[in-house]
Amino acid sequence: MTALEPGDAAVASADLPARELPGQDGVLGPVHRALSIGIVSVVLLIAFEATAVGTAMPVAARELHGISLYAFAFSSYFTTSLFAMVLSGQWADRNGPLAPLTTGISAFAAGLLLSGTAGTMALFILGRAVQGLGGGLVIVALYVTISRAYPERLRPAIMAAFAASWVIPSVVGPLASGTVTEHLGWRWVFLGIPVLIVLPLVLALPAIRRMASGPADASGPAPAFDRRRIRLALGISLGAALLQYAAQDLRPLSLLPAVAGTAFLVPAVLGLLPAGTWRATRGLPAVILLRGVSAGSFIAAESFVPLMLVTERGLSPTMAGLSLAVGGLTWALGSYIQSRPRAEPYRVRLMTGGMVLVAAAIATAPTVLIQSVPVWIVGVAWGVGCLGMGLVLASTSVLLLKLSAPEEAGLNSAALQIADGLSNVLLLAVGGAAFAALGGGSMSGHAVSTATGSHPTAFAAVFLPMAAVALVGVWVATRVRPVRA
């Protein structure tokens, strides 16, 4: 018999955002140390997987004779993760984040093992789909954990730690993955990561059970699963998959999956995101829209930067990738700046300024299409853009939890992640279609197959619209504070 019964633990964890316990002196203080190290380790592993797998993927597809199915190795992860985000939000609000987090980490590891041992491309894609389920469950469960286990004053710091977890993987991941793929084989990129999952489990799970377990409101009945939202989640996943498929091929027949995808996607998005999101209604809807606008415009543009440097300026793939490495450092710096207590009164200004930096970076990058412009301009511009993203993305996470009641943290966190992921794929599809239409080539997931020759107009057709989308984000950032009554 412990000093704290399960019901009491749930009540205490639900109260944590409102009152602080003695000894809570920081995210690495005695109360939060094990939890912070554990959940940051989870993010570190996810970050390393995300940066490393992209390097090994082309080799895996070639050896499994699945080049024609290459795009689905990416889209399968995305579509299943969208569904899992909605499921995780309801699951965490109903029973606490422990179960979806444990299930998600297990599914993520199982997917890696399945892909790493696959003998056919179909099994490889299935493994990626299982990974997506795990990743979607984990990311939302982590947000709910933060909302319950950390007081409001510590949330900016833990979000900054999440951003810092991407620094080393963004620099080391592609190089390490390339070395392992070349000397040991691509399978070890997938098989090596599950072994490292043991440490986060040992550290984080007992702390989550102690500080954030159970329903948010232990005094009332657990909320039932919303079957309508589950159906909408299936619709958004299917719609996104169909649109991705249509964007790969510009033939007239591609209009059929595009129309079907839109028919599934639009009602699902309207049903899963808060009312007023598309109008940037002040408060939570504007926060969620800003997350989508900022992430989608930046990631869609970033996907074309290495290709532009390789095909238009003659850089090697390694040098083109390293030109963006400084972005990991400045992204972490931006997250650190927003985490300082003195920055809290200026959060809206920081977010607005961050979107200005993002728009400027995206607009500056294609200047290297002019041969007289030095290529290092891209590295500088992207470092500035990543600084802005660090300011904006971490702040959207902080504001989302601040504006969410404890029992709605999972629901709203899922909406934030849906806006993030969906905008990525939609804007990437739009950019890829424009790129292909102007002779640049066709998008295949995160890779682009290009025709021979120079196509500066095709690249400009990607970057300039994304800069315009980022400028819309400047206006949205001014509306993230709710109207005072």
Side-chain angles (χ1 to χ4, degrees):
M1 184 69 67
T2 61
L4 207 62
E5 294 295 329
D8 298 327
V11 174
S13 67
D15 289 343
L16 275 170
R19 60 180 175 86
E20 298 180 20
L21 300 176
Q24 280 184 309
D25 55 349
V27 295
L28 292 179
V31 173
H32 294 97
R33 183 181 298 123
L35 178 61
S36 297
I37 294 174
I39 62 177
V40 169
S41 297
V42 171
V43 175
L44 181 68
L45 290 176
I46 292 175
F48 185 80
E49 186 273 344
T51 56
V53 163
T55 304
M57 196 79 75
V59 180
R62 185 175 65 247
E63 290 191 8
L64 294 175
H65 307 289
I67 294 296
S68 61
L69 301 175
Y70 183 80
F72 294 101
F74 291 100
S75 62
S76 60
Y77 182 101
F78 173 77
T79 53
T80 56
S81 67
L82 279 176
F83 171 75
M85 289 171 190
V86 177
L87 177 62
S88 183
Q90 292 199 42
W91 195 356
D93 284 341
R94 176 183 169 87
N95 302 115
L98 184 62
L101 183 64
T102 305
T103 305
I105 292 176
S106 301
F108 193 78
L112 285 167
L113 291 173
L114 183 56
S115 292
T117 57
T120 65
M121 193 62 178
L123 285 177
F124 183 86
I125 291 172
L126 177 61
R128 292 287 292 164
V130 175
Q131 277 183 257
L133 284 172
L137 290 171
V138 166
I139 189 63
V140 174
L142 287 178
Y143 272 73
V144 177
T145 299
I146 293 170
S147 74
R148 296 191 183 191
Y150 292 85
E152 189 174 310
R153 69 178 182 87
L154 294 183
R155 292 174 189 168
I158 193 64
M159 291 300 178
F162 279 11
S165 300
W166 283 80
V167 174
I168 294 177
S170 66
V171 177
V172 176
L175 296 176
S177 176
T179 301
V180 170
T181 299
E182 182 178 348
H183 295 285
L184 298 178
W186 63 268
R187 295 183 184 275
W188 287 104
V189 175
F190 292 86
L191 298 176
I193 296 176
V195 178
L196 304 177
I197 292 177
V198 176
L199 176 62
L201 289 175
V202 171
L203 289 173
L205 296 187
I208 294 174
R209 183 179 292 109
R210 183 177 69 254
M211 303 174 70
S213 61
D217 183 6
S219 61
F225 278 100
D226 188 337
R227 295 182 179 179
R228 175 178 173 273
R229 292 186 67 84
I230 297 297
R231 290 194 297 270
L232 291 175
L234 289 172
I236 201 172
S237 295
L238 180 58
L242 288 171
L243 285 175
Q244 284 180 304
Y245 177 81
Q248 296 176 44
D249 192 348
L250 297 180
R251 292 180 303 175
L253 285 178
S254 298
L255 289 175
L256 296 178
V259 171
T262 303
F264 280 111
L265 197 63
V266 171
V269 170
L270 293 177
L272 291 173
L273 299 186
T277 297
W278 302 113
R279 300 191 305 274
T281 300
R282 288 189 177 276
L284 184 63
V287 171
I288 291 175
L289 179 60
L290 179 61
R291 180 61 165 255
V293 168
S294 58
S297 60
F298 190 79
I299 298 303
E302 186 178 56
S303 299
F304 285 87
V305 170
L307 180 70
M308 179 174 64
L309 294 177
V310 170
T311 60
E312 303 299 317
R313 298 303 297 266
L315 269 66
S316 68
T318 300
M319 290 302 298
L322 288 177
S323 68
L324 304 180
V326 70
L329 297 173
T330 56
W331 194 309
L333 175 61
S335 297
Y336 172 78
I337 291 172
Q338 67 79 38
S339 73
R340 308 309 299 159
R342 294 179 180 179
E344 183 58 35
Y346 308 102
R347 185 170 298 280
V348 175
R349 293 183 184 179
L350 289 175
M351 297 172 77
T352 305
M355 286 309 304
V356 171
L357 296 180
V358 171
I362 297 174
T364 301
T367 60
V368 297
L369 294 169
I370 303 171
Q371 294 297 316
S372 59
V373 175
V375 294
W376 55 261
I377 289 294
V378 171
V380 173
W382 227 246
V384 170
C386 286
L387 174 65
M389 289 295 289
L391 292 170
V392 173
L393 259 64
S395 290
T396 59
S397 300
V398 171
L399 283 177
L400 175 116
L401 297 179
K402 184 176 182 178
L403 297 174
S404 300
E407 65 275 10
E408 296 178 342
L411 185 73
N412 292 337
S413 297
L416 187 79
Q417 294 303 320
I418 287 171
D420 187 322
L422 187 61
S423 65
N424 284 346
V425 72
L426 291 181
L427 289 179
L428 188 60
V430 169
F435 185 74
L438 292 174
S442 59
M443 288 295 296
S444 295
H446 285 56
V448 182
S449 59
T450 60
T452 58
S454 179
H455 301 281
T457 304
F459 284 105
V462 174
F463 286 96
L464 296 183
M466 296 309 155
V469 172
L471 283 176
V472 173
V474 176
W475 170 72
V476 177
T478 65
R479 302 178 59 81
V480 297
R481 292 286 193 195
V483 178
R484 294 182 180 179

mmCIF file of all heavy atoms in Angstrom, residues 162-187:
data_model
loop_
_atom_site.group_PDB
_atom_site.id
_atom_site.type_symbol
_atom_site.label_atom_id
_atom_site.label_comp_id
_atom_site.label_asym_id
_atom_site.label_seq_id
_atom_site.Cartn_x
_atom_site.Cartn_y
_atom_site.Cartn_z
ATOM 1 N N PHE A 162 12.567 20.107 -25.600
ATOM 2 C CA PHE A 162 12.152 19.298 -26.745
ATOM 3 C C PHE A 162 12.841 19.791 -28.019
ATOM 4 O O PHE A 162 13.335 18.997 -28.824
ATOM 5 C CB PHE A 162 10.638 19.380 -26.927
ATOM 6 C CG PHE A 162 9.856 18.466 -26.027
ATOM 7 C CD1 PHE A 162 10.471 17.795 -24.979
ATOM 8 C CD2 PHE A 162 8.508 18.272 -26.225
ATOM 9 C CE1 PHE A 162 9.761 16.955 -24.144
ATOM 10 C CE2 PHE A 162 7.772 17.433 -25.400
ATOM 11 C CZ PHE A 162 8.403 16.773 -24.360
ATOM 12 N N ALA A 163 12.842 21.113 -28.207
ATOM 13 C CA ALA A 163 13.478 21.674 -29.408
ATOM 14 C C ALA A 163 14.973 21.384 -29.415
ATOM 15 O O ALA A 163 15.554 21.054 -30.453
ATOM 16 C CB ALA A 163 13.229 23.172 -29.474
ATOM 17 N N ALA A 164 15.615 21.505 -28.251
ATOM 18 C CA ALA A 164 17.054 21.238 -28.179
ATOM 19 C C ALA A 164 17.370 19.787 -28.506
ATOM 20 O O ALA A 164 18.470 19.469 -28.976
ATOM 21 C CB ALA A 164 17.573 21.591 -26.781
ATOM 22 N N SER A 165 16.402 18.891 -28.264
ATOM 23 C CA SER A 165 16.622 17.467 -28.549
ATOM 24 C C SER A 165 16.814 17.190 -30.029
ATOM 25 O O SER A 165 17.304 16.123 -30.401
ATOM 26 C CB SER A 165 15.427 16.642 -28.043
ATOM 27 O OG SER A 165 15.254 16.785 -26.657
ATOM 28 N N TRP A 166 16.421 18.144 -30.883
ATOM 29 C CA TRP A 166 16.570 17.956 -32.326
ATOM 30 C C TRP A 166 17.914 18.446 -32.848
ATOM 31 O O TRP A 166 18.250 18.194 -34.008
ATOM 32 C CB TRP A 166 15.449 18.697 -33.064
ATOM 33 C CG TRP A 166 14.142 17.987 -33.011
ATOM 34 C CD1 TRP A 166 13.257 17.979 -31.980
ATOM 35 C CD2 TRP A 166 13.580 17.155 -34.029
ATOM 36 N NE1 TRP A 166 12.171 17.200 -32.300
ATOM 37 C CE2 TRP A 166 12.337 16.692 -33.551
ATOM 38 C CE3 TRP A 166 13.990 16.775 -35.305
ATOM 39 C CZ2 TRP A 166 11.514 15.851 -34.291
ATOM 40 C CZ3 TRP A 166 13.171 15.950 -36.050
ATOM 41 C CH2 TRP A 166 11.957 15.496 -35.549
ATOM 42 N N VAL A 167 18.695 19.135 -32.001
ATOM 43 C CA VAL A 167 19.936 19.738 -32.494
ATOM 44 C C VAL A 167 20.930 18.668 -32.924
ATOM 45 O O VAL A 167 21.408 18.645 -34.066
ATOM 46 C CB VAL A 167 20.552 20.662 -31.426
ATOM 47 C CG1 VAL A 167 21.916 21.163 -31.896
ATOM 48 C CG2 VAL A 167 19.632 21.831 -31.137
ATOM 49 N N ILE A 168 21.276 17.764 -32.007
ATOM 50 C CA ILE A 168 22.269 16.733 -32.329
ATOM 51 C C ILE A 168 21.782 15.822 -33.450
ATOM 52 O O ILE A 168 22.525 15.558 -34.410
ATOM 53 C CB ILE A 168 22.631 15.928 -31.067
ATOM 54 C CG1 ILE A 168 23.348 16.841 -30.056
ATOM 55 C CG2 ILE A 168 23.519 14.735 -31.422
ATOM 56 C CD1 ILE A 168 23.692 16.153 -28.751
ATOM 57 N N PRO A 169 20.532 15.307 -33.409
ATOM 58 C CA PRO A 169 20.083 14.476 -34.533
ATOM 59 C C PRO A 169 20.099 15.189 -35.878
ATOM 60 O O PRO A 169 20.406 14.571 -36.901
ATOM 61 C CB PRO A 169 18.646 14.097 -34.128
ATOM 62 C CG PRO A 169 18.652 14.158 -32.644
ATOM 63 C CD PRO A 169 19.558 15.304 -32.303
ATOM 64 N N SER A 170 19.772 16.484 -35.896
ATOM 65 C CA SER A 170 19.735 17.188 -37.179
ATOM 66 C C SER A 170 21.121 17.312 -37.796
ATOM 67 O O SER A 170 21.255 17.402 -39.014
ATOM 68 C CB SER A 170 19.123 18.579 -36.983
ATOM 69 O OG SER A 170 19.953 19.395 -36.186
ATOM 70 N N VAL A 171 22.158 17.318 -36.954
ATOM 71 C CA VAL A 171 23.529 17.427 -37.454
ATOM 72 C C VAL A 171 24.147 16.051 -37.661
ATOM 73 O O VAL A 171 24.755 15.756 -38.699
ATOM 74 C CB VAL A 171 24.385 18.265 -36.489
ATOM 75 C CG1 VAL A 171 25.838 18.312 -36.962
ATOM 76 C CG2 VAL A 171 23.827 19.672 -36.352
ATOM 77 N N VAL A 172 23.973 15.179 -36.668
ATOM 78 C CA VAL A 172 24.657 13.882 -36.670
ATOM 79 C C VAL A 172 23.850 12.821 -37.407
ATOM 80 O O VAL A 172 24.423 11.928 -38.036
ATOM 81 C CB VAL A 172 24.935 13.438 -35.220
ATOM 82 C CG1 VAL A 172 25.566 12.050 -35.185
ATOM 83 C CG2 VAL A 172 25.830 14.446 -34.526
ATOM 84 N N GLY A 173 22.510 12.921 -37.333
ATOM 85 C CA GLY A 173 21.659 11.863 -37.870
ATOM 86 C C GLY A 173 21.957 11.468 -39.305
ATOM 87 O O GLY A 173 22.228 10.293 -39.582
ATOM 88 N N PRO A 174 21.923 12.409 -40.258
ATOM 89 C CA PRO A 174 22.182 12.020 -41.648
ATOM 90 C C PRO A 174 23.577 11.437 -41.862
ATOM 91 O O PRO A 174 23.743 10.477 -42.625
ATOM 92 C CB PRO A 174 22.014 13.344 -42.409
ATOM 93 C CG PRO A 174 21.109 14.165 -41.543
ATOM 94 C CD PRO A 174 21.485 13.811 -40.142
ATOM 95 N N LEU A 175 24.590 12.009 -41.197
ATOM 96 C CA LEU A 175 25.954 11.490 -41.355
ATOM 97 C C LEU A 175 26.081 10.091 -40.758
ATOM 98 O O LEU A 175 26.671 9.191 -41.360
ATOM 99 C CB LEU A 175 26.954 12.443 -40.700
ATOM 100 C CG LEU A 175 27.051 13.845 -41.308
ATOM 101 C CD1 LEU A 175 28.020 14.712 -40.500
ATOM 102 C CD2 LEU A 175 27.506 13.764 -42.763
ATOM 103 N N ALA A 176 25.530 9.893 -39.552
ATOM 104 C CA ALA A 176 25.603 8.582 -38.908
ATOM 105 C C ALA A 176 24.836 7.541 -39.710
ATOM 106 O O ALA A 176 25.298 6.412 -39.907
ATOM 107 C CB ALA A 176 25.058 8.671 -37.487
ATOM 108 N N SER A 177 23.654 7.940 -40.180
ATOM 109 C CA SER A 177 22.846 7.016 -40.964
ATOM 110 C C SER A 177 23.543 6.637 -42.264
ATOM 111 O O SER A 177 23.535 5.474 -42.676
ATOM 112 C CB SER A 177 21.483 7.647 -41.261
ATOM 113 O OG SER A 177 20.712 6.816 -42.088
ATOM 114 N N GLY A 178 24.157 7.626 -42.914
ATOM 115 C CA GLY A 178 24.884 7.341 -44.143
ATOM 116 C C GLY A 178 26.041 6.389 -43.915
ATOM 117 O O GLY A 178 26.279 5.471 -44.711
ATOM 118 N N THR A 179 26.768 6.582 -42.810
ATOM 119 C CA THR A 179 27.899 5.707 -42.497
ATOM 120 C C THR A 179 27.439 4.287 -42.209
ATOM 121 O O THR A 179 28.016 3.304 -42.698
ATOM 122 C CB THR A 179 28.673 6.262 -41.292
ATOM 123 O OG1 THR A 179 29.132 7.579 -41.589
ATOM 124 C CG2 THR A 179 29.861 5.375 -40.959
ATOM 125 N N VAL A 180 26.374 4.164 -41.392
ATOM 126 C CA VAL A 180 25.844 2.840 -41.061
ATOM 127 C C VAL A 180 25.315 2.154 -42.316
ATOM 128 O O VAL A 180 25.556 0.960 -42.546
ATOM 129 C CB VAL A 180 24.737 2.954 -39.999
ATOM 130 C CG1 VAL A 180 24.012 1.620 -39.827
ATOM 131 C CG2 VAL A 180 25.314 3.414 -38.674
ATOM 132 N N THR A 181 24.594 2.898 -43.146
ATOM 133 C CA THR A 181 24.040 2.326 -44.378
ATOM 134 C C THR A 181 25.141 1.835 -45.297
ATOM 135 O O THR A 181 25.037 0.753 -45.897
ATOM 136 C CB THR A 181 23.185 3.377 -45.106
ATOM 137 O OG1 THR A 181 22.107 3.774 -44.252
ATOM 138 C CG2 THR A 181 22.619 2.825 -46.400
ATOM 139 N N GLU A 182 26.217 2.602 -45.384
ATOM 140 C CA GLU A 182 27.305 2.250 -46.296
ATOM 141 C C GLU A 182 28.108 1.054 -45.812
ATOM 142 O O GLU A 182 28.493 0.192 -46.602
ATOM 143 C CB GLU A 182 28.225 3.460 -46.471
ATOM 144 C CG GLU A 182 29.372 3.220 -47.449
ATOM 145 C CD GLU A 182 30.236 4.457 -47.640
ATOM 146 O OE1 GLU A 182 29.815 5.552 -47.188
ATOM 147 O OE2 GLU A 182 31.336 4.333 -48.234
ATOM 148 N N HIS A 183 28.360 0.966 -44.488
ATOM 149 C CA HIS A 183 29.279 -0.055 -43.971
ATOM 150 C C HIS A 183 28.564 -1.272 -43.380
ATOM 151 O O HIS A 183 29.113 -2.385 -43.407
ATOM 152 C CB HIS A 183 30.203 0.559 -42.919
ATOM 153 C CG HIS A 183 31.128 1.595 -43.474
ATOM 154 N ND1 HIS A 183 32.239 1.291 -44.230
ATOM 155 C CD2 HIS A 183 31.088 2.952 -43.398
ATOM 156 C CE1 HIS A 183 32.861 2.403 -44.588
ATOM 157 N NE2 HIS A 183 32.187 3.431 -44.094
ATOM 158 N N LEU A 184 27.362 -1.080 -42.816
ATOM 159 C CA LEU A 184 26.652 -2.193 -42.192
ATOM 160 C C LEU A 184 25.379 -2.571 -42.919
ATOM 161 O O LEU A 184 24.892 -3.689 -42.777
ATOM 162 C CB LEU A 184 26.319 -1.849 -40.725
ATOM 163 C CG LEU A 184 27.500 -1.593 -39.797
ATOM 164 C CD1 LEU A 184 26.994 -1.215 -38.396
ATOM 165 C CD2 LEU A 184 28.397 -2.827 -39.714
ATOM 166 N N GLY A 185 24.820 -1.633 -43.672
ATOM 167 C CA GLY A 185 23.575 -1.892 -44.379
ATOM 168 C C GLY A 185 22.432 -1.061 -43.814
ATOM 169 O O GLY A 185 22.426 -0.701 -42.632
ATOM 170 N N TRP A 186 21.452 -0.776 -44.662
ATOM 171 C CA TRP A 186 20.361 0.108 -44.254
ATOM 172 C C TRP A 186 19.514 -0.477 -43.137
ATOM 173 O O TRP A 186 18.918 0.261 -42.349
ATOM 174 C CB TRP A 186 19.464 0.420 -45.451
ATOM 175 C CG TRP A 186 18.763 -0.783 -46.028
ATOM 176 C CD1 TRP A 186 19.188 -1.593 -47.046
ATOM 177 C CD2 TRP A 186 17.490 -1.315 -45.617
ATOM 178 N NE1 TRP A 186 18.285 -2.592 -47.289
ATOM 179 C CE2 TRP A 186 17.224 -2.444 -46.436
ATOM 180 C CE3 TRP A 186 16.565 -0.964 -44.646
ATOM 181 C CZ2 TRP A 186 16.078 -3.215 -46.299
ATOM 182 C CZ3 TRP A 186 15.404 -1.727 -44.507
ATOM 183 C CH2 TRP A 186 15.170 -2.834 -45.327
ATOM 184 N N ARG A 187 19.464 -1.797 -43.025
ATOM 185 C CA ARG A 187 18.601 -2.417 -42.017
ATOM 186 C C ARG A 187 18.998 -2.009 -40.598
ATOM 187 O O ARG A 187 18.134 -1.894 -39.718
ATOM 188 C CB ARG A 187 18.627 -3.941 -42.154
ATOM 189 C CG ARG A 187 18.040 -4.440 -43.476
ATOM 190 C CD ARG A 187 18.021 -5.964 -43.540
ATOM 191 N NE ARG A 187 17.554 -6.428 -44.852
ATOM 192 C CZ ARG A 187 16.273 -6.583 -45.180
ATOM 193 N NH1 ARG A 187 15.341 -6.288 -44.289
ATOM 194 N NH2 ARG A 187 15.929 -7.009 -46.373
#
